[in-house]
Amino acid sequence: MACFFRRKIAEKLGRALQQSEDVFIPALTAVPVLKKQLTDFRLLIGTLRASGILPSSNSHFIFQLKQDNVVEHISAARGIINFKVNRNSPNIAKKFHAGHLRSTIIGNFIANLKQSLGNDVIRMNYLGDWGMQFGLLGAGFGQFGSPEKLKQNPLQHLFEVYVRVNKEAENNEDMKQAARDFFRQLEQHESHVVSLWQQFRDITVKEYQDIYERLGVHFDVYSGESFHQDQAQEVVQQLQSRGLLKTSEKGTGVVDLSPNRDMTNVCTVLRSDGTTLYITRDIAAAINRKEKYSFDEMIYVTDKSQENHFSQLFQILLAMGHSWADGCRHVSFGLVQGMKTRAGEVVFLEDVLDEARARMLNNMSQSNTTKELENPEDTAEKVGISALIIQDFKGPLQSDYKFNWDRMLQAQGDTGVFLQYTHARLCRSEISSIDTYDEVLYQSAQDLQPKHLVNFLLKLCHLIASAHRELPVKGSPEAVAQARLRLFSGACSVLANGMRILGITPVNKM
């Protein structure tokens, strides 16, 4: 059994080289921990070639290895691939990492957009709530856990236990075996183990819900891998009965996705020991959702490192005879770079939200134009989140972008603060509508990119600013004043509706 980080790296390699992740685990070498460490794991390319895993002509796979919230840096030199991991970001029982911000707000935007266009939308959060990492957490809690600390700060304590047990398991065979035993008991549904697993899962979901509430996000369903563990074995049987399941030279179960059926492009769905993989459970989950919800379209929102995974998922579903897989879609996104607070590197999303609120509150207190507010902290929270969302949504979702606090929180320019300021100013008017708004929604619905709506709303704000200067209401004849009020109130309505679709809560005073 591999530690969490070693297995995550092995998964990346497995996807890039169309192999089971298990073949890479022995080839990964842990680097001794140093104070100024630039790498945590190394992989010798020569080892892969000597074992026949990597053809001598193939070294381009390195470019397919992308960083994410767990593996934060990948580099290659002289036949060695170096991996630097983020040891503050385990996969389960974790606090909400800042890297989750994009998937959350993008998914919320798509759901809001579809709903505004008259679709019946089911918002689902799919959790990584199954796997050997639970074996580690369960075994670790038995040795390092404290029921009192679990009551005081539940998720933080589980996080600390998980980091500690991962470190212990690196060189302790007894701990590794304890983790195997715990997960085996979990898979066999032994009551005391399932009860502890359920407690861990409930703690995680509860904290996530608190963060989602701050972001103005809600989910109709909290699902996860655990819901589909038994169904995954049924998928294996279906693949076998259709003649789609092949056995590789290494004994793993694979589906041949190559056009000529020459095994040049395969997807591993079964380990050599007969256990299923993440994609096997994803196949089962998709089939289950179709049976349960009879959807017309299912949209997955994850980072772009998983593009190949979803391409294979949809291909396998179609090969199994599920024509509805043509209605499945993966919306991918790039990484956020350089997200820091004044205290240094940010790990948790709540730190980012707190920092945005604090910075915005400070900016508001120093502004001469800020009105007296009943609840300045609440306004600062909403405006700060607006700033986060607009900075994220201004460009194509697949692009990486550099996080910049100062630029993001400017009151002038194309920012979320500017949107909120314009809306607050317009709130003194009554309500109507603007025609081209529907066209922008239609355009956004075609490619599910929020930038179209963001750019429309920002242009609207600039036009409103010009109109305020050129079309004064005060001092104009009554008929002219009323017409201008209708113009401004219509803009206010459109601006508010557009902001809500983006997941932004409009404020009425600033």
Side-chain angles (χ1 to χ4, degrees):
M1 182 204 69
C3 80
F4 166 75
F5 298 109
R6 192 188 298 269
R7 184 164 291 281
K8 294 300 289 186
I9 296 170
E11 287 175 3
K12 285 181 177 294
L13 292 164
R15 286 195 295 267
L17 290 169
Q18 304 297 316
Q19 298 273 359
S20 167
E21 65 195 50
D22 292 342
V23 304
F24 299 101
I25 288 170
L28 286 164
T29 304
V31 178
V33 178
L34 301 172
K35 280 188 177 179
K36 294 184 178 179
Q37 188 166 329
L38 299 176
T39 185
D40 295 294
F41 290 89
R42 284 179 178 159
L43 179 73
L44 296 175
I45 295 177
T47 303
L48 298 183
R49 289 188 174 136
S51 61
I53 297 170
L54 179 67
S56 58
S57 60
N58 184 356
S59 59
H60 300 295
F61 80 95
I62 296 170
F63 300 106
Q64 297 175 252
L65 303 174
K66 303 296 184 183
Q67 65 189 59
D68 57 22
N69 296 329
V70 176
V71 183
E72 62 183 19
H73 186 69
I74 301 170
S75 61
R78 298 179 183 177
I80 297 174
I81 307 176
N82 297 307
F83 300 89
K84 173 69 176 172
V85 302
N86 179 359
R87 293 189 176 271
N88 292 318
S89 181
N91 192 40
I92 192 62
K94 61 183 179 297
K95 291 174 77 67
F96 213 151
H97 192 280
H100 292 106
L101 177 65
R102 294 208 83 181
S103 60
T104 301
I105 62 176
I106 292 168
N108 189 49
F109 157 72
I110 293 172
N112 291 342
L113 175 64
K114 291 288 186 178
Q115 208 157 25
S116 72
L117 294 172
N119 294 276
D120 184 14
V121 176
I122 297 168
R123 302 163 186 251
M124 179 180 290
N125 190 338
Y126 188 67
L127 301 170
D129 63 356
W130 200 253
M132 189 57 76
Q133 63 266 30
F134 270 104
L136 274 170
L137 184 61
F141 191 78
Q143 185 164 337
F144 308 120
S146 163
E148 290 183 3
K149 289 183 179 179
L150 192 65
K151 288 180 181 178
Q152 293 169 359
N153 197 342
L155 202 56
Q156 180 64 34
H157 183 53
L158 290 183
F159 174 84
E160 291 165 354
V161 168
Y162 192 82
V163 171
R164 189 171 177 185
V165 72
N166 262 285
K167 189 175 180 180
E168 183 74 17
E170 283 283 354
N171 302 302
N172 187 330
E173 189 57 40
D174 290 339
M175 180 58 74
K176 294 177 183 178
Q177 187 58 49
R180 291 190 197 100
D181 292 342
F182 186 94
F183 187 58
R184 176 179 49 77
Q185 292 170 338
L186 183 59
E187 287 196 310
Q188 293 172 352
H189 304 291
E190 294 191 17
S191 58
H192 70 287
V193 173
V194 172
S195 176
L196 189 60
W197 168 84
Q198 187 66 55
Q199 187 180 8
F200 294 162
R201 190 183 191 278
D202 291 346
I203 286 169
T204 304
V205 171
K206 172 64 173 66
E207 175 132 344
Y208 281 14
Q209 287 174 326
D210 292 343
I211 297 295
Y212 289 139
E213 188 174 349
R214 287 185 70 176
L215 288 168
V217 173
H218 79 276
F219 290 96
D220 302 306
V221 180
Y222 281 88
S223 182
E225 290 185 77
S226 62
F227 288 77
H228 307 290
Q229 44 166 318
D230 296 329
Q231 297 164 6
Q233 290 294 342
E234 296 175 18
V235 165
V236 173
Q237 294 171 10
Q238 291 169 22
L239 290 169
Q240 201 161 24
S241 66
R242 286 179 168 268
L244 296 171
L245 187 66
K246 311 292 182 184
T247 303
S248 71
E249 294 178 359
K250 298 181 173 52
T252 57
V254 300
V255 176
D256 185 6
L257 298 175
S258 52
N260 299 322
R261 294 294 180 259
D262 55 5
M263 301 287 280
T264 56
N265 179 21
V266 300
C267 177
T268 305
V269 295
L270 207 60
R271 293 191 181 93
S272 56
D273 62 2
T275 56
T276 59
L277 296 165
Y278 183 84
I279 193 164
T280 329
R281 294 186 283 275
D282 257 5
I283 297 166
I287 295 170
N288 176 262
R289 289 170 199 150
K290 181 61 178 179
E291 292 172 350
K292 188 171 183 179
Y293 301 111
S294 191
F295 58 79
D296 297 313
E297 185 179 22
M298 179 162 62
I299 301 169
Y300 297 82
V301 181
T302 71
D303 71 84
K304 60 186 178 184
S305 70
Q306 296 192 47
E307 286 176 347
N308 186 57
H309 169 86
F310 285 101
S311 174
Q312 291 184 330
L313 170 63
F314 303 153
Q315 288 180 68
I316 292 173
L317 287 168
L318 288 170
M320 293 175 72
H322 300 300
S323 58
W324 48 261
D326 281 331
C328 294
R329 189 170 179 181
H330 176 221
V331 174
S332 61
F333 56 85
L335 300 175
V336 183
Q337 301 165 342
M339 189 177 277
K340 300 178 181 179
T341 62
R342 293 186 181 94
E345 295 288 342
V346 171
V347 175
F348 303 129
L349 180 56
E350 64 182 314
D351 296 331
V352 178
L353 300 184
D354 290 346
E355 181 89 2
R357 179 179 60 199
R359 285 177 182 254
M360 196 62 229
L361 197 61
N362 180 62
N363 289 359
M364 289 163 55
S365 68
Q366 295 178 2
S367 172
N368 296 327
T369 59
T370 300
K371 307 298 181 186
E372 288 295 325
L373 302 171
E374 293 180 6
N375 191 338
E377 286 208 358
D378 181 64
T379 299
E381 169 103 334
K382 290 173 180 173
V383 177
I385 289 173
S386 306
L388 284 167
I389 291 173
I390 294 301
Q391 179 175 243
D392 198 292
F393 283 178
K394 282 171 67 176
L397 294 181
Q398 279 207 316
S399 299
D400 300 342
Y401 75 88
K402 288 190 176 180
F403 189 90
N404 186 305
W405 281 111
D406 294 332
R407 185 174 64 238
M408 180 186 85
L409 293 173
Q410 287 176 354
Q412 303 298 321
D414 293 342
T415 66
V417 181
F418 179 48
L419 276 185
Q420 290 282 23
Y421 174 77
T422 304
H423 177 265
R425 190 175 182 185
L426 288 170
C427 276
R428 299 160 198 157
S429 306
E430 297 175 0
I431 296 176
S432 184
S433 64
I434 286 182
D435 295 337
T436 56
Y437 175 63
D438 288 344
E439 294 177 18
V440 174
L441 292 187
Y442 176 78
Q443 185 181 14
S444 298
Q446 299 309 298
D447 61 4
L448 302 182
Q449 294 282 328
K451 63 179 181 178
H452 308 304
L453 182 54
V454 168
N455 291 334
F456 169 81
L457 295 180
L458 289 169
K459 286 177 182 176
L460 177 61
C461 288
H462 286 292
L463 289 171
I464 290 165
S466 298
H468 270 298
R469 291 191 299 269
E470 303 296 330
L471 303 173
V473 174
K474 189 175 181 180
S476 299
E478 185 174 351
V480 174
Q482 289 299 320
R484 291 175 178 176
L485 276 174
R486 285 194 293 272
L487 170 66
F488 291 132
S489 63
C492 180
S493 177
V494 170
L495 188 57
N497 289 335
M499 290 166 72
R500 291 189 184 97
I501 289 174
L502 292 171
I504 295 171
T505 303
V507 297
N508 296 333
K509 289 183 179 181
M510 278 188 70

